[in-house]
Amino acid sequence: MTTDFRATKALFELPEGVTYLDGNSLGPLPKAAPARMARAMTEEWGEMLITGWNKAGWMAQPATLGDRIGRLIGAPEGTTVLGDTLSIKVHQALAAALALRPERKVILTDSGNFPSDIYMAEGLIEQLGRGHELRVVAPEEVEAAIDEDVAVMMITEVDYRTGRRHDMPKLIARAHEAGALAIWDLAHSAGAVDVDVAAADTDFAVGCTYKFLNGGPGAPAFIHVAPRLIDAVRPALSGWLGHDAPFAFEPSYRPGAAIARMRVGTPPVLAMAALDSALDIWDGVDMADLRAASLALSDRFIEGVEAACPGLELATPRDHARRGSQVSFRHPQGYAVMQALIAQGVIGDFRAPDILRFGITPLYLDEADIDRAVEVMASILRDGSWDRPEFHARAAVT
């Protein structure tokens, strides 16, 4: 192993007394981010004003940062671009894929997909009004459900609740065999597992940067399009910055060259400054090392919880090939148990109806953190302190 995870841990702000197991929902603050954002605000925005678009390279950031993310997901240079939100990127990918298969009407997804992806599909179907069908099957039934009616298979690689991981190359190969296209949501994969979109022959991939990539709340999303498809894609969201010559101010849209056509709106410069500092940490990380460390810490957590915490049921696959970088347990009062854990400085999160969810992030977690989390959870379950009234009161964000 060549990655020094003790060194990467030192690059994050981690509050005293807190064991942070929620990086699969929001990554912690990189120590370099405040200074990087301050520089963007004072030296760039403050001193350069509008000239910062050229002098500070703001306009090029979506492509520059896209390539940095591309390295982490196995994407060739020039095939990934950053900007907007994940829901917008899902909409872009799905609309583009359906347009490439106009004779087919089925969008195939699974019940483990993130709900907002499904919402975007439902909205697009209604908007198009061309008789498309959203077919939702159980995760284990996806492969068998791929037939010649399917235009697009739209799947989240790692289930946000259980951490179950699909076999991406296998499902893509089956989709292509049937003449369908594949869209992969990498929100719980990028920066978490060893993704290789090029080797898997992915058609489209999307993802966010505020989870395992640690870009900060509301950090922009990314989209990747396979080089063999990009020149055939006509964006449904034909935004100004996806135009071939934005500053020619032509009256009609012409798609930009290659991945640039998947840009939509003005880049979020300050948010990208924070992400830029987070991606600096990844420059010293080997993804194979990350995956090995994640699995070792996950195994340690599972073994510790099962030995010390009766009453919890493992929801995450034991098989390494089927596991992402999180561990989930079921408990009938999972929400209250999680609030009790948070009150004692072990931060995970809850997903309805009964999932306690823990992100395993080797960049800033080590064996001592895992052991402390197990110890605190065992204590809470043993003494029943999770059952206090304040832990049952539901907050807006769970």
Side-chain angles (χ1 to χ4, degrees), residues 127-172:
Q127 178 186 14
L128 291 174
R130 297 177 189 165
H132 288 94
E133 169 197 345
L134 179 64
R135 186 177 297 169
V136 183
V137 301
E140 60 273 14
E141 296 172 359
V142 171
E143 184 177 6
I146 301 170
D147 59 28
E148 293 183 357
D149 294 327
V150 175
V152 185
M153 176 184 69
M154 180 183 69
I155 303 289
T156 296
E157 187 191 13
V158 176
D159 189 307
Y160 73 102
R161 292 165 302 186
T162 66
R164 173 202 38 78
R165 186 183 186 186
H166 276 294
D167 186 336
M168 179 160 61
K170 183 179 181 181
L171 290 179
I172 291 173

mmCIF file of all heavy atoms in Angstrom, residues 127-172:
data_model
loop_
_atom_site.group_PDB
_atom_site.id
_atom_site.type_symbol
_atom_site.label_atom_id
_atom_site.label_comp_id
_atom_site.label_asym_id
_atom_site.label_seq_id
_atom_site.Cartn_x
_atom_site.Cartn_y
_atom_site.Cartn_z
ATOM 1 N N GLN A 127 -43.025 15.026 -19.374
ATOM 2 C CA GLN A 127 -42.673 16.161 -20.220
ATOM 3 C C GLN A 127 -42.613 15.757 -21.694
ATOM 4 O O GLN A 127 -43.110 16.475 -22.570
ATOM 5 C CB GLN A 127 -41.331 16.726 -19.773
ATOM 6 C CG GLN A 127 -40.823 17.896 -20.597
ATOM 7 C CD GLN A 127 -39.417 18.307 -20.185
ATOM 8 O OE1 GLN A 127 -38.716 17.568 -19.477
ATOM 9 N NE2 GLN A 127 -39.002 19.475 -20.613
ATOM 10 N N LEU A 128 -42.018 14.594 -21.987
ATOM 11 C CA LEU A 128 -41.882 14.158 -23.371
ATOM 12 C C LEU A 128 -43.224 13.766 -23.991
ATOM 13 O O LEU A 128 -43.476 14.034 -25.164
ATOM 14 C CB LEU A 128 -40.901 12.978 -23.452
ATOM 15 C CG LEU A 128 -39.438 13.296 -23.155
ATOM 16 C CD1 LEU A 128 -38.614 12.007 -23.127
ATOM 17 C CD2 LEU A 128 -38.862 14.273 -24.172
ATOM 18 N N GLY A 129 -44.054 13.096 -23.191
ATOM 19 C CA GLY A 129 -45.368 12.696 -23.681
ATOM 20 C C GLY A 129 -45.330 11.774 -24.871
ATOM 21 O O GLY A 129 -46.174 11.849 -25.779
ATOM 22 N N ARG A 130 -44.377 10.864 -24.916
ATOM 23 C CA ARG A 130 -44.217 9.972 -26.071
ATOM 24 C C ARG A 130 -44.440 8.502 -25.717
ATOM 25 O O ARG A 130 -43.991 7.613 -26.438
ATOM 26 C CB ARG A 130 -42.821 10.151 -26.666
ATOM 27 C CG ARG A 130 -42.564 11.554 -27.213
ATOM 28 C CD ARG A 130 -41.143 11.685 -27.712
ATOM 29 N NE ARG A 130 -40.823 13.067 -28.040
ATOM 30 C CZ ARG A 130 -39.574 13.530 -28.229
ATOM 31 N NH1 ARG A 130 -38.538 12.691 -28.097
ATOM 32 N NH2 ARG A 130 -39.367 14.792 -28.508
ATOM 33 N N GLY A 131 -45.089 8.261 -24.595
ATOM 34 C CA GLY A 131 -45.433 6.892 -24.247
ATOM 35 C C GLY A 131 -44.324 6.091 -23.599
ATOM 36 O O GLY A 131 -44.369 4.856 -23.615
ATOM 37 N N HIS A 132 -43.325 6.767 -23.027
ATOM 38 C CA HIS A 132 -42.262 6.028 -22.337
ATOM 39 C C HIS A 132 -42.797 5.406 -21.044
ATOM 40 O O HIS A 132 -43.745 5.901 -20.437
ATOM 41 C CB HIS A 132 -41.091 6.958 -22.002
ATOM 42 C CG HIS A 132 -40.288 7.358 -23.203
ATOM 43 N ND1 HIS A 132 -40.528 8.519 -23.898
ATOM 44 C CD2 HIS A 132 -39.253 6.744 -23.840
ATOM 45 C CE1 HIS A 132 -39.679 8.619 -24.906
ATOM 46 N NE2 HIS A 132 -38.895 7.551 -24.894
ATOM 47 N N GLU A 133 -42.146 4.344 -20.639
ATOM 48 C CA GLU A 133 -42.534 3.601 -19.434
ATOM 49 C C GLU A 133 -41.334 3.483 -18.505
ATOM 50 O O GLU A 133 -40.228 3.163 -18.951
ATOM 51 C CB GLU A 133 -43.010 2.198 -19.829
ATOM 52 C CG GLU A 133 -43.191 1.241 -18.671
ATOM 53 C CD GLU A 133 -43.262 -0.214 -19.111
ATOM 54 O OE1 GLU A 133 -43.458 -0.475 -20.317
ATOM 55 O OE2 GLU A 133 -43.090 -1.104 -18.234
ATOM 56 N N LEU A 134 -41.557 3.742 -17.221
ATOM 57 C CA LEU A 134 -40.521 3.514 -16.209
ATOM 58 C C LEU A 134 -40.777 2.147 -15.590
ATOM 59 O O LEU A 134 -41.799 1.933 -14.941
ATOM 60 C CB LEU A 134 -40.561 4.606 -15.141
ATOM 61 C CG LEU A 134 -39.534 4.463 -14.014
ATOM 62 C CD1 LEU A 134 -38.112 4.577 -14.561
ATOM 63 C CD2 LEU A 134 -39.764 5.525 -12.930
ATOM 64 N N ARG A 135 -39.851 1.228 -15.788
ATOM 65 C CA ARG A 135 -39.998 -0.131 -15.274
ATOM 66 C C ARG A 135 -39.064 -0.290 -14.078
ATOM 67 O O ARG A 135 -37.845 -0.205 -14.218
ATOM 68 C CB ARG A 135 -39.667 -1.145 -16.359
ATOM 69 C CG ARG A 135 -39.912 -2.593 -15.985
ATOM 70 C CD ARG A 135 -39.608 -3.502 -17.173
ATOM 71 N NE ARG A 135 -40.514 -3.230 -18.309
ATOM 72 C CZ ARG A 135 -40.332 -3.729 -19.531
ATOM 73 N NH1 ARG A 135 -39.284 -4.504 -19.786
ATOM 74 N NH2 ARG A 135 -41.195 -3.444 -20.491
ATOM 75 N N VAL A 136 -39.638 -0.515 -12.893
ATOM 76 C CA VAL A 136 -38.859 -0.636 -11.661
ATOM 77 C C VAL A 136 -38.902 -2.080 -11.190
ATOM 78 O O VAL A 136 -39.982 -2.632 -10.941
ATOM 79 C CB VAL A 136 -39.408 0.297 -10.558
ATOM 80 C CG1 VAL A 136 -38.543 0.202 -9.305
ATOM 81 C CG2 VAL A 136 -39.478 1.739 -11.049
ATOM 82 N N VAL A 137 -37.726 -2.696 -11.063
ATOM 83 C CA VAL A 137 -37.645 -4.086 -10.627
ATOM 84 C C VAL A 137 -36.766 -4.165 -9.376
ATOM 85 O O VAL A 137 -36.070 -3.210 -9.025
ATOM 86 C CB VAL A 137 -37.078 -4.995 -11.735
ATOM 87 C CG1 VAL A 137 -37.951 -4.922 -12.980
ATOM 88 C CG2 VAL A 137 -35.636 -4.623 -12.067
ATOM 89 N N ALA A 138 -36.778 -5.303 -8.723
ATOM 90 C CA ALA A 138 -35.891 -5.522 -7.578
ATOM 91 C C ALA A 138 -34.437 -5.536 -8.064
ATOM 92 O O ALA A 138 -34.163 -5.919 -9.210
ATOM 93 C CB ALA A 138 -36.226 -6.837 -6.887
ATOM 94 N N PRO A 139 -33.485 -5.114 -7.225
ATOM 95 C CA PRO A 139 -32.081 -5.060 -7.658
ATOM 96 C C PRO A 139 -31.569 -6.363 -8.253
ATOM 97 O O PRO A 139 -30.840 -6.344 -9.252
ATOM 98 C CB PRO A 139 -31.340 -4.698 -6.370
ATOM 99 C CG PRO A 139 -32.330 -3.941 -5.563
ATOM 100 C CD PRO A 139 -33.651 -4.589 -5.857
ATOM 101 N N GLU A 140 -31.962 -7.475 -7.673
ATOM 102 C CA GLU A 140 -31.468 -8.766 -8.164
ATOM 103 C C GLU A 140 -32.153 -9.195 -9.467
ATOM 104 O O GLU A 140 -31.741 -10.195 -10.081
ATOM 105 C CB GLU A 140 -31.653 -9.847 -7.102
ATOM 106 C CG GLU A 140 -33.077 -10.080 -6.662
ATOM 107 C CD GLU A 140 -33.528 -9.169 -5.519
ATOM 108 O OE1 GLU A 140 -32.825 -8.181 -5.235
ATOM 109 O OE2 GLU A 140 -34.578 -9.474 -4.921
ATOM 110 N N GLU A 141 -33.161 -8.450 -9.917
ATOM 111 C CA GLU A 141 -33.891 -8.805 -11.138
ATOM 112 C C GLU A 141 -33.502 -7.943 -12.333
ATOM 113 O O GLU A 141 -34.056 -8.106 -13.429
ATOM 114 C CB GLU A 141 -35.397 -8.680 -10.891
ATOM 115 C CG GLU A 141 -35.930 -9.649 -9.843
ATOM 116 C CD GLU A 141 -37.385 -9.377 -9.480
ATOM 117 O OE1 GLU A 141 -37.971 -8.416 -10.028
ATOM 118 O OE2 GLU A 141 -37.916 -10.124 -8.647
ATOM 119 N N VAL A 142 -32.544 -7.021 -12.151
ATOM 120 C CA VAL A 142 -32.203 -6.093 -13.231
ATOM 121 C C VAL A 142 -31.718 -6.819 -14.471
ATOM 122 O O VAL A 142 -32.189 -6.568 -15.593
ATOM 123 C CB VAL A 142 -31.149 -5.063 -12.758
ATOM 124 C CG1 VAL A 142 -30.628 -4.246 -13.947
ATOM 125 C CG2 VAL A 142 -31.733 -4.138 -11.709
ATOM 126 N N GLU A 143 -30.774 -7.729 -14.297
ATOM 127 C CA GLU A 143 -30.189 -8.398 -15.462
ATOM 128 C C GLU A 143 -31.247 -9.123 -16.289
ATOM 129 O O GLU A 143 -31.282 -9.009 -17.525
ATOM 130 C CB GLU A 143 -29.099 -9.371 -15.027
ATOM 131 C CG GLU A 143 -28.381 -10.026 -16.195
ATOM 132 C CD GLU A 143 -27.249 -10.942 -15.762
ATOM 133 O OE1 GLU A 143 -27.093 -11.163 -14.537
ATOM 134 O OE2 GLU A 143 -26.519 -11.434 -16.649
ATOM 135 N N ALA A 144 -32.130 -9.829 -15.614
ATOM 136 C CA ALA A 144 -33.162 -10.589 -16.325
ATOM 137 C C ALA A 144 -34.187 -9.678 -16.993
ATOM 138 O O ALA A 144 -34.851 -10.091 -17.957
ATOM 139 C CB ALA A 144 -33.865 -11.542 -15.362
ATOM 140 N N ALA A 145 -34.315 -8.449 -16.497
ATOM 141 C CA ALA A 145 -35.322 -7.524 -17.027
ATOM 142 C C ALA A 145 -34.843 -6.761 -18.249
ATOM 143 O O ALA A 145 -35.619 -6.040 -18.875
ATOM 144 C CB ALA A 145 -35.746 -6.547 -15.935
ATOM 145 N N ILE A 146 -33.576 -6.895 -18.606
ATOM 146 C CA ILE A 146 -33.043 -6.186 -19.773
ATOM 147 C C ILE A 146 -33.452 -6.938 -21.036
ATOM 148 O O ILE A 146 -33.022 -8.071 -21.263
ATOM 149 C CB ILE A 146 -31.505 -6.071 -19.699
ATOM 150 C CG1 ILE A 146 -31.084 -5.319 -18.437
ATOM 151 C CG2 ILE A 146 -30.968 -5.351 -20.937
ATOM 152 C CD1 ILE A 146 -29.587 -5.370 -18.166
ATOM 153 N N ASP A 147 -34.308 -6.312 -21.831
ATOM 154 C CA ASP A 147 -34.731 -6.935 -23.086
ATOM 155 C C ASP A 147 -34.694 -5.905 -24.204
ATOM 156 O O ASP A 147 -34.218 -4.779 -24.017
ATOM 157 C CB ASP A 147 -36.124 -7.572 -22.940
ATOM 158 C CG ASP A 147 -37.203 -6.569 -22.528
ATOM 159 O OD1 ASP A 147 -37.058 -5.365 -22.852
ATOM 160 O OD2 ASP A 147 -38.191 -6.977 -21.893
ATOM 161 N N GLU A 148 -35.212 -6.249 -25.361
ATOM 162 C CA GLU A 148 -35.101 -5.389 -26.535
ATOM 163 C C GLU A 148 -36.084 -4.229 -26.526
ATOM 164 O O GLU A 148 -36.086 -3.410 -27.457
ATOM 165 C CB GLU A 148 -35.255 -6.228 -27.804
ATOM 166 C CG GLU A 148 -34.100 -7.208 -27.997
ATOM 167 C CD GLU A 148 -34.186 -8.003 -29.285
ATOM 168 O OE1 GLU A 148 -35.191 -7.840 -30.012
ATOM 169 O OE2 GLU A 148 -33.247 -8.773 -29.548
ATOM 170 N N ASP A 149 -36.921 -4.134 -25.489
ATOM 171 C CA ASP A 149 -37.791 -2.967 -25.318
ATOM 172 C C ASP A 149 -37.098 -1.856 -24.544
ATOM 173 O O ASP A 149 -37.558 -0.712 -24.551
ATOM 174 C CB ASP A 149 -39.078 -3.351 -24.587
ATOM 175 C CG ASP A 149 -39.952 -4.292 -25.398
ATOM 176 O OD1 ASP A 149 -39.947 -4.158 -26.645
ATOM 177 O OD2 ASP A 149 -40.624 -5.148 -24.791
ATOM 178 N N VAL A 150 -36.014 -2.195 -23.843
ATOM 179 C CA VAL A 150 -35.344 -1.233 -22.965
ATOM 180 C C VAL A 150 -34.492 -0.270 -23.782
ATOM 181 O O VAL A 150 -33.617 -0.687 -24.544
ATOM 182 C CB VAL A 150 -34.469 -1.957 -21.913
ATOM 183 C CG1 VAL A 150 -33.677 -0.945 -21.092
ATOM 184 C CG2 VAL A 150 -35.347 -2.812 -20.998
ATOM 185 N N ALA A 151 -34.767 1.013 -23.606
ATOM 186 C CA ALA A 151 -33.937 2.046 -24.231
ATOM 187 C C ALA A 151 -32.739 2.364 -23.360
ATOM 188 O O ALA A 151 -31.610 2.463 -23.839
ATOM 189 C CB ALA A 151 -34.762 3.314 -24.461
ATOM 190 N N VAL A 152 -33.003 2.493 -22.048
ATOM 191 C CA VAL A 152 -31.976 2.935 -21.111
ATOM 192 C C VAL A 152 -32.092 2.172 -19.806
ATOM 193 O O VAL A 152 -33.196 2.033 -19.256
ATOM 194 C CB VAL A 152 -32.109 4.444 -20.798
ATOM 195 C CG1 VAL A 152 -30.947 4.910 -19.919
ATOM 196 C CG2 VAL A 152 -32.198 5.271 -22.054
ATOM 197 N N MET A 153 -30.984 1.693 -19.305
ATOM 198 C CA MET A 153 -30.882 1.161 -17.949
ATOM 199 C C MET A 153 -30.255 2.241 -17.086
ATOM 200 O O MET A 153 -29.144 2.686 -17.353
ATOM 201 C CB MET A 153 -30.023 -0.103 -17.946
ATOM 202 C CG MET A 153 -29.776 -0.694 -16.574
ATOM 203 S SD MET A 153 -28.641 -2.117 -16.632
ATOM 204 C CE MET A 153 -27.090 -1.306 -17.057
ATOM 205 N N MET A 154 -30.973 2.701 -16.069
ATOM 206 C CA MET A 154 -30.507 3.784 -15.201
ATOM 207 C C MET A 154 -30.395 3.252 -13.768
ATOM 208 O O MET A 154 -31.394 2.980 -13.113
ATOM 209 C CB MET A 154 -31.490 4.959 -15.247
ATOM 210 C CG MET A 154 -31.087 6.138 -14.383
ATOM 211 S SD MET A 154 -32.317 7.480 -14.393
ATOM 212 C CE MET A 154 -33.686 6.710 -13.491
ATOM 213 N N ILE A 155 -29.160 3.088 -13.302
ATOM 214 C CA ILE A 155 -28.914 2.399 -12.039
ATOM 215 C C ILE A 155 -27.934 3.203 -11.168
ATOM 216 O O ILE A 155 -26.960 3.766 -11.678
ATOM 217 C CB ILE A 155 -28.311 0.996 -12.286
ATOM 218 C CG1 ILE A 155 -29.229 0.151 -13.180
ATOM 219 C CG2 ILE A 155 -28.012 0.279 -10.985
ATOM 220 C CD1 ILE A 155 -30.502 -0.312 -12.525
ATOM 221 N N THR A 156 -28.192 3.244 -9.873
ATOM 222 C CA THR A 156 -27.195 3.730 -8.921
ATOM 223 C C THR A 156 -26.322 2.548 -8.530
ATOM 224 O O THR A 156 -26.835 1.523 -8.054
ATOM 225 C CB THR A 156 -27.861 4.339 -7.679
ATOM 226 O OG1 THR A 156 -28.608 5.498 -8.078
ATOM 227 C CG2 THR A 156 -26.817 4.753 -6.651
ATOM 228 N N GLU A 157 -25.022 2.680 -8.734
ATOM 229 C CA GLU A 157 -24.144 1.526 -8.540
ATOM 230 C C GLU A 157 -24.185 0.997 -7.119
ATOM 231 O O GLU A 157 -24.242 -0.210 -6.890
ATOM 232 C CB GLU A 157 -22.702 1.868 -8.916
ATOM 233 C CG GLU A 157 -21.819 0.638 -8.889
ATOM 234 C CD GLU A 157 -20.337 0.928 -8.994
ATOM 235 O OE1 GLU A 157 -19.946 2.097 -8.840
ATOM 236 O OE2 GLU A 157 -19.565 -0.025 -9.213
ATOM 237 N N VAL A 158 -24.133 1.890 -6.132
ATOM 238 C CA VAL A 158 -24.152 1.486 -4.729
ATOM 239 C C VAL A 158 -25.443 1.980 -4.093
ATOM 240 O O VAL A 158 -25.737 3.182 -4.108
ATOM 241 C CB VAL A 158 -22.931 2.045 -3.964
ATOM 242 C CG1 VAL A 158 -23.026 1.701 -2.473
ATOM 243 C CG2 VAL A 158 -21.632 1.490 -4.556
ATOM 244 N N ASP A 159 -26.225 1.067 -3.549
ATOM 245 C CA ASP A 159 -27.496 1.388 -2.907
ATOM 246 C C ASP A 159 -27.261 2.322 -1.723
ATOM 247 O O ASP A 159 -26.483 2.004 -0.820
ATOM 248 C CB ASP A 159 -28.165 0.097 -2.436
ATOM 249 C CG ASP A 159 -29.583 0.299 -1.944
ATOM 250 O OD1 ASP A 159 -29.801 1.152 -1.069
ATOM 251 O OD2 ASP A 159 -30.491 -0.416 -2.417
ATOM 252 N N TYR A 160 -27.960 3.452 -1.727
ATOM 253 C CA TYR A 160 -27.748 4.464 -0.692
ATOM 254 C C TYR A 160 -28.178 4.001 0.690
ATOM 255 O O TYR A 160 -27.734 4.546 1.703
ATOM 256 C CB TYR A 160 -28.496 5.754 -1.057
ATOM 257 C CG TYR A 160 -30.000 5.673 -0.897
ATOM 258 C CD1 TYR A 160 -30.638 6.241 0.205
ATOM 259 C CD2 TYR A 160 -30.800 5.028 -1.837
ATOM 260 C CE1 TYR A 160 -32.008 6.177 0.358
ATOM 261 C CE2 TYR A 160 -32.156 4.960 -1.695
ATOM 262 C CZ TYR A 160 -32.769 5.533 -0.601
ATOM 263 O OH TYR A 160 -34.138 5.462 -0.457
ATOM 264 N N ARG A 161 -29.032 2.988 0.769
ATOM 265 C CA ARG A 161 -29.490 2.501 2.071
ATOM 266 C C ARG A 161 -28.614 1.377 2.597
ATOM 267 O O ARG A 161 -28.117 1.444 3.722
ATOM 268 C CB ARG A 161 -30.943 2.022 1.969
ATOM 269 C CG ARG A 161 -31.953 3.121 1.734
ATOM 270 C CD ARG A 161 -33.280 2.577 1.284
ATOM 271 N NE ARG A 161 -33.144 1.783 0.062
ATOM 272 C CZ ARG A 161 -34.167 1.283 -0.623
ATOM 273 N NH1 ARG A 161 -35.393 1.476 -0.192
ATOM 274 N NH2 ARG A 161 -33.971 0.588 -1.712
ATOM 275 N N THR A 162 -28.418 0.355 1.790
ATOM 276 C CA THR A 162 -27.765 -0.858 2.292
ATOM 277 C C THR A 162 -26.280 -0.944 1.962
ATOM 278 O O THR A 162 -25.570 -1.737 2.567
ATOM 279 C CB THR A 162 -28.445 -2.109 1.710
ATOM 280 O OG1 THR A 162 -28.222 -2.130 0.287
ATOM 281 C CG2 THR A 162 -29.944 -2.094 1.990
ATOM 282 N N GLY A 163 -25.820 -0.178 0.967
ATOM 283 C CA GLY A 163 -24.434 -0.306 0.538
ATOM 284 C C GLY A 163 -24.207 -1.452 -0.428
ATOM 285 O O GLY A 163 -23.062 -1.734 -0.791
ATOM 286 N N ARG A 164 -25.288 -2.120 -0.890
ATOM 287 C CA ARG A 164 -25.146 -3.176 -1.877
ATOM 288 C C ARG A 164 -24.612 -2.590 -3.186
ATOM 289 O O ARG A 164 -25.059 -1.545 -3.640
ATOM 290 C CB ARG A 164 -26.498 -3.845 -2.155
ATOM 291 C CG ARG A 164 -26.463 -4.842 -3.305
ATOM 292 C CD ARG A 164 -27.846 -5.085 -3.899
ATOM 293 N NE ARG A 164 -28.679 -3.914 -3.965
ATOM 294 C CZ ARG A 164 -28.581 -2.964 -4.882
ATOM 295 N NH1 ARG A 164 -27.657 -3.017 -5.826
ATOM 296 N NH2 ARG A 164 -29.397 -1.934 -4.857
ATOM 297 N N ARG A 165 -23.662 -3.275 -3.800
ATOM 298 C CA ARG A 165 -23.037 -2.792 -5.027
ATOM 299 C C ARG A 165 -23.406 -3.682 -6.205
ATOM 300 O O ARG A 165 -23.260 -4.895 -6.147
ATOM 301 C CB ARG A 165 -21.511 -2.763 -4.857
ATOM 302 C CG ARG A 165 -20.768 -2.128 -6.024
ATOM 303 C CD ARG A 165 -19.258 -2.192 -5.828
ATOM 304 N NE ARG A 165 -18.564 -1.448 -6.880
ATOM 305 C CZ ARG A 165 -17.238 -1.429 -7.033
ATOM 306 N NH1 ARG A 165 -16.466 -2.105 -6.175
ATOM 307 N NH2 ARG A 165 -16.690 -0.724 -8.010
ATOM 308 N N HIS A 166 -23.880 -3.049 -7.283
ATOM 309 C CA HIS A 166 -24.167 -3.787 -8.508
ATOM 310 C C HIS A 166 -22.867 -4.180 -9.209
ATOM 311 O O HIS A 166 -21.828 -3.533 -9.044
ATOM 312 C CB HIS A 166 -24.984 -2.923 -9.466
ATOM 313 C CG HIS A 166 -26.453 -2.924 -9.207
ATOM 314 N ND1 HIS A 166 -27.245 -4.041 -9.370
ATOM 315 C CD2 HIS A 166 -27.304 -1.929 -8.818
ATOM 316 C CE1 HIS A 166 -28.503 -3.738 -9.092
ATOM 317 N NE2 HIS A 166 -28.565 -2.467 -8.761
ATOM 318 N N ASP A 167 -22.961 -5.204 -10.051
ATOM 319 C CA ASP A 167 -21.861 -5.607 -10.924
ATOM 320 C C ASP A 167 -21.965 -4.761 -12.196
ATOM 321 O O ASP A 167 -22.633 -5.141 -13.164
ATOM 322 C CB ASP A 167 -21.957 -7.099 -11.239
ATOM 323 C CG ASP A 167 -20.758 -7.627 -12.018
ATOM 324 O OD1 ASP A 167 -20.092 -6.820 -12.696
ATOM 325 O OD2 ASP A 167 -20.500 -8.839 -11.947
ATOM 326 N N MET A 168 -21.329 -3.609 -12.190
ATOM 327 C CA MET A 168 -21.488 -2.652 -13.275
ATOM 328 C C MET A 168 -21.058 -3.216 -14.628
ATOM 329 O O MET A 168 -21.815 -3.153 -15.601
ATOM 330 C CB MET A 168 -20.751 -1.349 -12.963
ATOM 331 C CG MET A 168 -20.860 -0.304 -14.061
ATOM 332 S SD MET A 168 -20.518 1.395 -13.541
ATOM 333 C CE MET A 168 -18.826 1.273 -12.970
ATOM 334 N N PRO A 169 -19.857 -3.772 -14.766
ATOM 335 C CA PRO A 169 -19.457 -4.286 -16.087
ATOM 336 C C PRO A 169 -20.406 -5.342 -16.632
ATOM 337 O O PRO A 169 -20.726 -5.350 -17.823
ATOM 338 C CB PRO A 169 -18.060 -4.845 -15.836
ATOM 339 C CG PRO A 169 -17.561 -4.110 -14.633
ATOM 340 C CD PRO A 169 -18.775 -3.891 -13.785
ATOM 341 N N LYS A 170 -20.866 -6.225 -15.764
ATOM 342 C CA LYS A 170 -21.755 -7.306 -16.205
ATOM 343 C C LYS A 170 -23.078 -6.756 -16.719
ATOM 344 O O LYS A 170 -23.577 -7.165 -17.784
ATOM 345 C CB LYS A 170 -21.996 -8.289 -15.052
ATOM 346 C CG LYS A 170 -22.854 -9.486 -15.415
ATOM 347 C CD LYS A 170 -23.014 -10.400 -14.205
ATOM 348 C CE LYS A 170 -23.850 -11.622 -14.544
ATOM 349 N NZ LYS A 170 -24.036 -12.502 -13.347
ATOM 350 N N LEU A 171 -23.668 -5.815 -15.989
ATOM 351 C CA LEU A 171 -24.955 -5.269 -16.394
ATOM 352 C C LEU A 171 -24.839 -4.403 -17.645
ATOM 353 O O LEU A 171 -25.732 -4.400 -18.502
ATOM 354 C CB LEU A 171 -25.581 -4.469 -15.252
ATOM 355 C CG LEU A 171 -26.065 -5.291 -14.053
ATOM 356 C CD1 LEU A 171 -26.648 -4.378 -12.982
ATOM 357 C CD2 LEU A 171 -27.097 -6.329 -14.478
ATOM 358 N N ILE A 172 -23.739 -3.671 -17.765
ATOM 359 C CA ILE A 172 -23.539 -2.870 -18.979
ATOM 360 C C ILE A 172 -23.400 -3.779 -20.193
ATOM 361 O O ILE A 172 -23.985 -3.517 -21.257
ATOM 362 C CB ILE A 172 -22.308 -1.958 -18.833
ATOM 363 C CG1 ILE A 172 -22.578 -0.855 -17.807
ATOM 364 C CG2 ILE A 172 -21.937 -1.321 -20.174
ATOM 365 C CD1 ILE A 172 -21.378 -0.009 -17.478
#
